[in-house]
């Protein structure tokens, strides 16, 4: 990779704002990943169980339980005894928005030359951290390319 000149540090307030934005993206990424997976599980098999989420995310069931409790407090998930997890309207909206962002990022990465597997893997992180400006630019790029 070619060596580039070092860029100067931004003013402290701007730098702090960038890091704060990334910390917030990290927090919302977890909620988005969970509701997106719950929606996928409900679509594929009609149910979303904590054990399935733990297995697919590679985390302990206790982690899933704590996260689901937070998602319930946030009004995104409902649980029903002996029936698993369900999304509220707000949870469904968040899952749809996360899915659309994911698909946009995958399409963009494929368009710039990545293979499907790498594009899918990289989209898992990028979809949460790309700004709205970047997502609009991705969509514009794809629209222009498809003309």
């Amino acid at each position: 990779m070619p060596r580039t000149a070092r860029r100067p540090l931004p003013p402290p307030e701007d730098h702090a704002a960038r890091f704060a934005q990334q910390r917030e993206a990290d927090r919302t990424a977890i909620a988005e990943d969970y509701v997106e997976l719950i929606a996928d599980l409900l679509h594929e098999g009609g149910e979303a169980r904590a054990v399935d989420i733990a297995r697919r995310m590679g985390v302990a069931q206790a982690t899933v339980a704590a996260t689901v409790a937070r998602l319930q407090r946030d009004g995104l998930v409902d649980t029903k005894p002996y029936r698993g997890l369900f999304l509220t309207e707000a949870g469904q909206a968040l899952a749809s928005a996360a899915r659309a962002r994911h698909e946009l990022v995958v399409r963009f990465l494929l368009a710039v030359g990545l293979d499907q597997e790498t594009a899918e893997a990289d989209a898992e992180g990028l979809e949460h951290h790309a700004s709205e400006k970047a997502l609009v630019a991705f969509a514009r790029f794809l629209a222009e390319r498809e003309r």
Side-chain angles (χ1 to χ4, degrees), residues 27-43 48 53 57 64 67-68 70-72 74-78 85-99 101 124 127-128:
R27 278 189 289 276
T28 58
I30 293 169
E32 290 172 349
D33 284 344
Y34 269 73
V35 296
E36 192 176 357
L37 179 55
I38 291 167
D40 289 345
L41 289 169
L42 289 169
H43 178 76
I53 294 168
M57 291 197 147
V64 172
T67 303
V68 166
R70 182 173 60 95
L71 296 174
Q72 282 182 286
D74 293 346
L76 300 171
V77 172
D78 280 331
L85 307 169
F86 296 89
L87 296 175
T88 63
E89 281 188 38
Q92 290 171 355
L94 184 61
S96 293
R99 170 65 55 214
R101 262 196 334 276
E124 283 302 330
E127 70 187 76
H128 303 294

Short mmCIF file of all heavy atoms in Angstrom, two decimals, residues 27-43 48 53 57 64 67-68 70-72 74-78 85-99 101 124 127-128:
data_model
loop_
_atom_site.label_atom_id
_atom_site.label_comp_id
_atom_site.label_asym_id
_atom_site.label_seq_id
_atom_site.Cartn_x
_atom_site.Cartn_y
_atom_site.Cartn_z
N ARG A 27 -23.14 1.01 20.19
CA ARG A 27 -24.28 0.66 21.03
C ARG A 27 -25.49 0.26 20.20
O ARG A 27 -26.16 -0.72 20.49
CB ARG A 27 -24.64 1.82 21.96
CG ARG A 27 -23.78 1.92 23.20
CD ARG A 27 -24.32 2.93 24.18
NE ARG A 27 -24.17 4.30 23.72
CZ ARG A 27 -23.07 5.04 23.87
NH1 ARG A 27 -22.03 4.54 24.48
NH2 ARG A 27 -23.01 6.27 23.41
N THR A 28 -25.78 1.03 19.17
CA THR A 28 -26.96 0.72 18.36
C THR A 28 -26.74 -0.50 17.47
O THR A 28 -27.69 -1.17 17.11
CB THR A 28 -27.40 1.92 17.51
OG1 THR A 28 -26.33 2.31 16.66
CG2 THR A 28 -27.83 3.09 18.36
N ALA A 29 -25.48 -0.80 17.14
CA ALA A 29 -25.18 -1.96 16.29
C ALA A 29 -25.69 -3.24 16.94
O ALA A 29 -26.24 -4.11 16.24
CB ALA A 29 -23.69 -2.05 16.03
N ILE A 30 -25.53 -3.37 18.23
CA ILE A 30 -25.97 -4.59 18.91
C ILE A 30 -27.49 -4.74 18.80
O ILE A 30 -27.99 -5.81 18.44
CB ILE A 30 -25.51 -4.59 20.38
CG1 ILE A 30 -23.99 -4.69 20.44
CG2 ILE A 30 -26.17 -5.73 21.17
CD1 ILE A 30 -23.38 -4.43 21.80
N ALA A 31 -28.22 -3.68 19.07
CA ALA A 31 -29.67 -3.74 18.97
C ALA A 31 -30.09 -4.07 17.54
O ALA A 31 -30.97 -4.92 17.32
CB ALA A 31 -30.30 -2.42 19.41
N GLU A 32 -29.45 -3.43 16.57
CA GLU A 32 -29.80 -3.69 15.16
C GLU A 32 -29.49 -5.13 14.78
O GLU A 32 -30.28 -5.77 14.10
CB GLU A 32 -29.05 -2.72 14.25
CG GLU A 32 -29.56 -1.30 14.38
CD GLU A 32 -28.72 -0.28 13.63
OE1 GLU A 32 -27.60 -0.64 13.16
OE2 GLU A 32 -29.17 0.86 13.49
N ASP A 33 -28.34 -5.63 15.19
CA ASP A 33 -27.98 -7.02 14.86
C ASP A 33 -28.99 -8.00 15.46
O ASP A 33 -29.40 -8.96 14.80
CB ASP A 33 -26.58 -7.35 15.37
CG ASP A 33 -25.48 -6.75 14.51
OD1 ASP A 33 -25.75 -6.33 13.36
OD2 ASP A 33 -24.33 -6.69 14.99
N TYR A 34 -29.40 -7.76 16.69
CA TYR A 34 -30.35 -8.66 17.35
C TYR A 34 -31.72 -8.62 16.66
O TYR A 34 -32.28 -9.67 16.35
CB TYR A 34 -30.51 -8.32 18.83
CG TYR A 34 -29.56 -9.07 19.73
CD1 TYR A 34 -28.20 -8.75 19.76
CD2 TYR A 34 -29.99 -10.10 20.55
CE1 TYR A 34 -27.32 -9.43 20.58
CE2 TYR A 34 -29.12 -10.79 21.38
CZ TYR A 34 -27.78 -10.45 21.38
OH TYR A 34 -26.91 -11.15 22.19
N VAL A 35 -32.26 -7.43 16.42
CA VAL A 35 -33.60 -7.38 15.81
C VAL A 35 -33.57 -7.91 14.38
O VAL A 35 -34.52 -8.55 13.93
CB VAL A 35 -34.25 -5.98 15.89
CG1 VAL A 35 -34.49 -5.57 17.33
CG2 VAL A 35 -33.49 -4.93 15.13
N GLU A 36 -32.47 -7.67 13.68
CA GLU A 36 -32.34 -8.20 12.32
C GLU A 36 -32.32 -9.73 12.35
O GLU A 36 -33.00 -10.39 11.56
CB GLU A 36 -31.08 -7.64 11.67
CG GLU A 36 -30.98 -7.87 10.18
CD GLU A 36 -29.77 -7.21 9.55
OE1 GLU A 36 -28.99 -6.50 10.23
OE2 GLU A 36 -29.58 -7.44 8.35
N LEU A 37 -31.56 -10.31 13.27
CA LEU A 37 -31.50 -11.77 13.38
C LEU A 37 -32.84 -12.34 13.83
O LEU A 37 -33.30 -13.36 13.30
CB LEU A 37 -30.39 -12.19 14.35
CG LEU A 37 -30.25 -13.69 14.57
CD1 LEU A 37 -30.06 -14.46 13.26
CD2 LEU A 37 -29.10 -13.98 15.53
N ILE A 38 -33.49 -11.69 14.77
CA ILE A 38 -34.81 -12.16 15.22
C ILE A 38 -35.78 -12.16 14.05
O ILE A 38 -36.52 -13.13 13.83
CB ILE A 38 -35.34 -11.31 16.40
CG1 ILE A 38 -34.49 -11.59 17.65
CG2 ILE A 38 -36.82 -11.61 16.67
CD1 ILE A 38 -34.71 -10.59 18.79
N ALA A 39 -35.78 -11.09 13.25
CA ALA A 39 -36.66 -11.02 12.08
C ALA A 39 -36.34 -12.15 11.10
O ALA A 39 -37.25 -12.80 10.56
CB ALA A 39 -36.52 -9.67 11.39
N ASP A 40 -35.05 -12.40 10.87
CA ASP A 40 -34.65 -13.48 9.96
C ASP A 40 -35.10 -14.84 10.48
O ASP A 40 -35.60 -15.67 9.71
CB ASP A 40 -33.13 -13.47 9.75
CG ASP A 40 -32.64 -12.30 8.93
OD1 ASP A 40 -33.47 -11.63 8.27
OD2 ASP A 40 -31.42 -12.03 8.98
N LEU A 41 -34.91 -15.09 11.78
CA LEU A 41 -35.32 -16.37 12.36
C LEU A 41 -36.83 -16.55 12.28
O LEU A 41 -37.32 -17.65 11.96
CB LEU A 41 -34.85 -16.47 13.81
CG LEU A 41 -33.34 -16.65 14.00
CD1 LEU A 41 -32.96 -16.46 15.48
CD2 LEU A 41 -32.87 -18.00 13.49
N LEU A 42 -37.58 -15.48 12.56
CA LEU A 42 -39.04 -15.57 12.47
C LEU A 42 -39.47 -15.85 11.03
O LEU A 42 -40.38 -16.64 10.79
CB LEU A 42 -39.68 -14.27 12.98
CG LEU A 42 -39.60 -14.04 14.49
CD1 LEU A 42 -40.00 -12.62 14.83
CD2 LEU A 42 -40.45 -15.06 15.24
N HIS A 43 -38.81 -15.22 10.09
CA HIS A 43 -39.15 -15.41 8.67
C HIS A 43 -38.82 -16.83 8.21
O HIS A 43 -39.61 -17.47 7.53
CB HIS A 43 -38.39 -14.39 7.82
CG HIS A 43 -38.63 -14.55 6.36
ND1 HIS A 43 -39.80 -14.15 5.76
CD2 HIS A 43 -37.86 -15.09 5.38
CE1 HIS A 43 -39.74 -14.43 4.47
NE2 HIS A 43 -38.57 -15.01 4.21
N ALA A 48 -38.15 -17.40 17.02
CA ALA A 48 -36.81 -16.92 17.38
C ALA A 48 -36.62 -17.26 18.85
O ALA A 48 -37.29 -16.70 19.72
CB ALA A 48 -36.70 -15.42 17.15
N ILE A 53 -30.34 -17.65 18.88
CA ILE A 53 -29.61 -16.38 18.78
C ILE A 53 -28.20 -16.54 19.33
O ILE A 53 -27.23 -16.10 18.70
CB ILE A 53 -30.38 -15.25 19.50
CG1 ILE A 53 -31.70 -14.99 18.76
CG2 ILE A 53 -29.54 -13.98 19.58
CD1 ILE A 53 -32.67 -14.12 19.52
N MET A 57 -24.91 -16.00 17.03
CA MET A 57 -24.07 -14.85 17.34
C MET A 57 -22.76 -15.24 18.02
O MET A 57 -21.88 -14.41 18.19
CB MET A 57 -24.83 -13.84 18.18
CG MET A 57 -25.94 -13.16 17.43
SD MET A 57 -26.45 -11.68 18.26
CE MET A 57 -26.89 -10.68 16.87
N VAL A 64 -27.39 -13.17 25.67
CA VAL A 64 -28.63 -12.97 24.92
C VAL A 64 -29.74 -12.51 25.86
O VAL A 64 -30.48 -11.57 25.56
CB VAL A 64 -29.04 -14.26 24.16
CG1 VAL A 64 -30.43 -14.11 23.54
CG2 VAL A 64 -28.01 -14.59 23.10
N THR A 67 -29.26 -8.88 26.77
CA THR A 67 -29.52 -8.00 25.63
C THR A 67 -31.00 -7.95 25.32
O THR A 67 -31.56 -6.88 25.05
CB THR A 67 -28.71 -8.45 24.40
OG1 THR A 67 -27.32 -8.47 24.76
CG2 THR A 67 -28.91 -7.50 23.24
N VAL A 68 -31.67 -9.10 25.36
CA VAL A 68 -33.11 -9.14 25.11
C VAL A 68 -33.85 -8.31 26.15
O VAL A 68 -34.81 -7.60 25.83
CB VAL A 68 -33.62 -10.59 25.03
CG1 VAL A 68 -35.14 -10.66 25.10
CG2 VAL A 68 -33.10 -11.25 23.75
N ARG A 70 -32.76 -5.66 27.61
CA ARG A 70 -32.57 -4.26 27.21
C ARG A 70 -33.47 -3.92 26.01
O ARG A 70 -34.10 -2.86 25.97
CB ARG A 70 -31.11 -3.99 26.86
CG ARG A 70 -30.85 -2.54 26.48
CD ARG A 70 -29.38 -2.24 26.30
NE ARG A 70 -28.74 -3.01 25.27
CZ ARG A 70 -28.57 -2.61 24.02
NH1 ARG A 70 -28.99 -1.43 23.65
NH2 ARG A 70 -27.96 -3.38 23.15
N LEU A 71 -33.56 -4.84 25.05
CA LEU A 71 -34.41 -4.60 23.88
C LEU A 71 -35.88 -4.52 24.27
O LEU A 71 -36.64 -3.73 23.68
CB LEU A 71 -34.19 -5.71 22.84
CG LEU A 71 -32.79 -5.79 22.22
CD1 LEU A 71 -32.68 -7.01 21.32
CD2 LEU A 71 -32.45 -4.51 21.47
N GLN A 72 -36.28 -5.29 25.29
CA GLN A 72 -37.65 -5.20 25.80
C GLN A 72 -37.89 -3.83 26.43
O GLN A 72 -38.91 -3.19 26.17
CB GLN A 72 -37.93 -6.29 26.82
CG GLN A 72 -38.19 -7.64 26.21
CD GLN A 72 -38.52 -8.66 27.27
OE1 GLN A 72 -37.62 -9.11 27.99
NE2 GLN A 72 -39.79 -9.03 27.36
N ASP A 74 -36.43 -1.15 25.73
CA ASP A 74 -36.42 -0.16 24.65
C ASP A 74 -37.63 -0.28 23.74
O ASP A 74 -37.76 0.48 22.77
CB ASP A 74 -35.13 -0.28 23.82
CG ASP A 74 -33.89 0.11 24.60
OD1 ASP A 74 -34.01 0.72 25.69
OD2 ASP A 74 -32.77 -0.20 24.12
N GLY A 75 -38.50 -1.25 24.00
CA GLY A 75 -39.72 -1.39 23.22
C GLY A 75 -39.53 -2.03 21.85
O GLY A 75 -40.34 -1.81 20.96
N LEU A 76 -38.49 -2.84 21.69
CA LEU A 76 -38.19 -3.44 20.39
C LEU A 76 -38.58 -4.91 20.31
O LEU A 76 -38.83 -5.43 19.21
CB LEU A 76 -36.70 -3.29 20.07
CG LEU A 76 -36.18 -1.85 20.00
CD1 LEU A 76 -34.67 -1.83 19.90
CD2 LEU A 76 -36.82 -1.13 18.82
N VAL A 77 -38.62 -5.59 21.45
CA VAL A 77 -38.86 -7.04 21.49
C VAL A 77 -39.90 -7.37 22.55
O VAL A 77 -39.93 -6.74 23.61
CB VAL A 77 -37.54 -7.78 21.81
CG1 VAL A 77 -37.77 -9.26 22.05
CG2 VAL A 77 -36.53 -7.59 20.70
N ASP A 78 -40.74 -8.35 22.24
CA ASP A 78 -41.68 -8.94 23.20
C ASP A 78 -41.31 -10.40 23.36
O ASP A 78 -40.84 -11.03 22.42
CB ASP A 78 -43.13 -8.87 22.69
CG ASP A 78 -43.76 -7.51 22.87
OD1 ASP A 78 -43.39 -6.80 23.82
OD2 ASP A 78 -44.63 -7.16 22.05
N LEU A 85 -39.25 -15.19 21.05
CA LEU A 85 -39.15 -13.74 20.93
C LEU A 85 -39.92 -13.25 19.71
O LEU A 85 -39.95 -13.91 18.67
CB LEU A 85 -37.68 -13.34 20.78
CG LEU A 85 -36.74 -13.85 21.85
CD1 LEU A 85 -35.30 -13.61 21.45
CD2 LEU A 85 -37.04 -13.18 23.17
N PHE A 86 -40.47 -12.06 19.86
CA PHE A 86 -41.20 -11.43 18.77
C PHE A 86 -40.81 -9.96 18.72
O PHE A 86 -40.46 -9.37 19.74
CB PHE A 86 -42.72 -11.55 18.98
CG PHE A 86 -43.19 -12.97 18.96
CD1 PHE A 86 -43.22 -13.72 20.13
CD2 PHE A 86 -43.56 -13.57 17.77
CE1 PHE A 86 -43.62 -15.04 20.12
CE2 PHE A 86 -43.96 -14.90 17.74
CZ PHE A 86 -44.00 -15.63 18.93
N LEU A 87 -40.87 -9.38 17.55
CA LEU A 87 -40.55 -7.96 17.40
C LEU A 87 -41.81 -7.12 17.54
O LEU A 87 -42.87 -7.48 17.03
CB LEU A 87 -39.92 -7.70 16.02
CG LEU A 87 -38.58 -8.37 15.76
CD1 LEU A 87 -38.13 -8.12 14.32
CD2 LEU A 87 -37.52 -7.86 16.74
N THR A 88 -41.66 -5.99 18.21
CA THR A 88 -42.73 -5.00 18.24
C THR A 88 -42.72 -4.27 16.89
O THR A 88 -41.84 -4.50 16.05
CB THR A 88 -42.49 -3.98 19.36
OG1 THR A 88 -41.28 -3.27 19.06
CG2 THR A 88 -42.39 -4.66 20.73
N GLU A 89 -43.66 -3.36 16.69
CA GLU A 89 -43.64 -2.56 15.46
C GLU A 89 -42.34 -1.78 15.34
O GLU A 89 -41.75 -1.71 14.27
CB GLU A 89 -44.83 -1.60 15.42
CG GLU A 89 -46.12 -2.26 15.01
CD GLU A 89 -47.23 -1.26 14.79
OE1 GLU A 89 -46.97 -0.16 14.26
OE2 GLU A 89 -48.37 -1.58 15.15
N ALA A 90 -41.88 -1.22 16.46
CA ALA A 90 -40.62 -0.47 16.45
C ALA A 90 -39.45 -1.40 16.14
O ALA A 90 -38.53 -1.03 15.40
CB ALA A 90 -40.39 0.23 17.79
N GLY A 91 -39.48 -2.61 16.68
CA GLY A 91 -38.44 -3.59 16.40
C GLY A 91 -38.44 -4.02 14.93
O GLY A 91 -37.38 -4.16 14.32
N GLN A 92 -39.64 -4.19 14.37
CA GLN A 92 -39.74 -4.54 12.95
C GLN A 92 -39.21 -3.41 12.07
O GLN A 92 -38.51 -3.66 11.08
CB GLN A 92 -41.19 -4.87 12.59
CG GLN A 92 -41.67 -6.16 13.19
CD GLN A 92 -43.17 -6.38 13.02
OE1 GLN A 92 -43.89 -5.51 12.52
NE2 GLN A 92 -43.64 -7.53 13.44
N ALA A 93 -39.52 -2.18 12.44
CA ALA A 93 -39.03 -1.03 11.67
C ALA A 93 -37.51 -0.95 11.73
O ALA A 93 -36.84 -0.71 10.70
CB ALA A 93 -39.66 0.26 12.18
N LEU A 94 -36.95 -1.16 12.92
CA LEU A 94 -35.49 -1.13 13.07
C LEU A 94 -34.85 -2.26 12.27
O LEU A 94 -33.83 -2.06 11.59
CB LEU A 94 -35.10 -1.21 14.54
CG LEU A 94 -33.60 -1.09 14.83
CD1 LEU A 94 -33.04 0.24 14.35
CD2 LEU A 94 -33.34 -1.27 16.33
N ALA A 95 -35.44 -3.45 12.32
CA ALA A 95 -34.90 -4.59 11.57
C ALA A 95 -34.94 -4.32 10.07
O ALA A 95 -33.98 -4.61 9.35
CB ALA A 95 -35.69 -5.86 11.90
N SER A 96 -36.03 -3.73 9.59
CA SER A 96 -36.14 -3.42 8.16
C SER A 96 -35.10 -2.39 7.74
O SER A 96 -34.49 -2.53 6.68
CB SER A 96 -37.54 -2.89 7.83
OG SER A 96 -38.49 -3.91 8.00
N ALA A 97 -34.91 -1.38 8.56
CA ALA A 97 -33.92 -0.35 8.24
C ALA A 97 -32.51 -0.93 8.25
O ALA A 97 -31.69 -0.64 7.36
CB ALA A 97 -34.02 0.82 9.24
N ALA A 98 -32.22 -1.79 9.23
CA ALA A 98 -30.90 -2.43 9.31
C ALA A 98 -30.68 -3.34 8.10
O ALA A 98 -29.58 -3.35 7.52
CB ALA A 98 -30.77 -3.21 10.62
N ARG A 99 -31.69 -4.09 7.72
CA ARG A 99 -31.59 -4.98 6.56
C ARG A 99 -31.34 -4.17 5.28
O ARG A 99 -30.50 -4.53 4.46
CB ARG A 99 -32.87 -5.81 6.42
CG ARG A 99 -33.01 -6.61 5.14
CD ARG A 99 -32.02 -7.71 4.93
NE ARG A 99 -32.02 -8.63 6.03
CZ ARG A 99 -30.92 -9.26 6.47
NH1 ARG A 99 -29.77 -9.09 5.88
NH2 ARG A 99 -30.97 -10.09 7.48
N ARG A 101 -29.95 -1.19 5.01
CA ARG A 101 -28.57 -0.66 5.06
C ARG A 101 -27.57 -1.76 4.72
O ARG A 101 -26.63 -1.55 3.96
CB ARG A 101 -28.26 -0.08 6.44
CG ARG A 101 -28.42 1.40 6.50
CD ARG A 101 -27.77 2.05 7.71
NE ARG A 101 -27.62 1.24 8.88
CZ ARG A 101 -28.56 1.04 9.81
NH1 ARG A 101 -29.73 1.60 9.69
NH2 ARG A 101 -28.33 0.28 10.85
N GLU A 124 -21.21 -6.36 7.73
CA GLU A 124 -21.66 -6.49 9.12
C GLU A 124 -21.15 -5.36 10.00
O GLU A 124 -21.81 -4.96 10.93
CB GLU A 124 -21.25 -7.85 9.71
CG GLU A 124 -22.10 -9.00 9.26
CD GLU A 124 -23.57 -8.84 9.57
OE1 GLU A 124 -23.95 -8.20 10.58
OE2 GLU A 124 -24.38 -9.37 8.79
N GLU A 127 -22.12 -1.43 7.93
CA GLU A 127 -23.52 -0.98 7.90
C GLU A 127 -23.88 -0.13 9.12
O GLU A 127 -24.74 0.73 9.04
CB GLU A 127 -24.47 -2.17 7.79
CG GLU A 127 -24.54 -3.02 9.05
CD GLU A 127 -25.35 -4.28 8.86
OE1 GLU A 127 -24.85 -5.21 8.23
OE2 GLU A 127 -26.49 -4.32 9.36
N HIS A 128 -23.22 -0.36 10.24
CA HIS A 128 -23.53 0.37 11.46
C HIS A 128 -22.72 1.65 11.60
O HIS A 128 -23.09 2.53 12.37
CB HIS A 128 -23.27 -0.51 12.68
CG HIS A 128 -24.03 -1.79 12.66
ND1 HIS A 128 -25.40 -1.86 12.73
CD2 HIS A 128 -23.59 -3.08 12.53
CE1 HIS A 128 -25.78 -3.12 12.67
NE2 HIS A 128 -24.70 -3.88 12.55
#
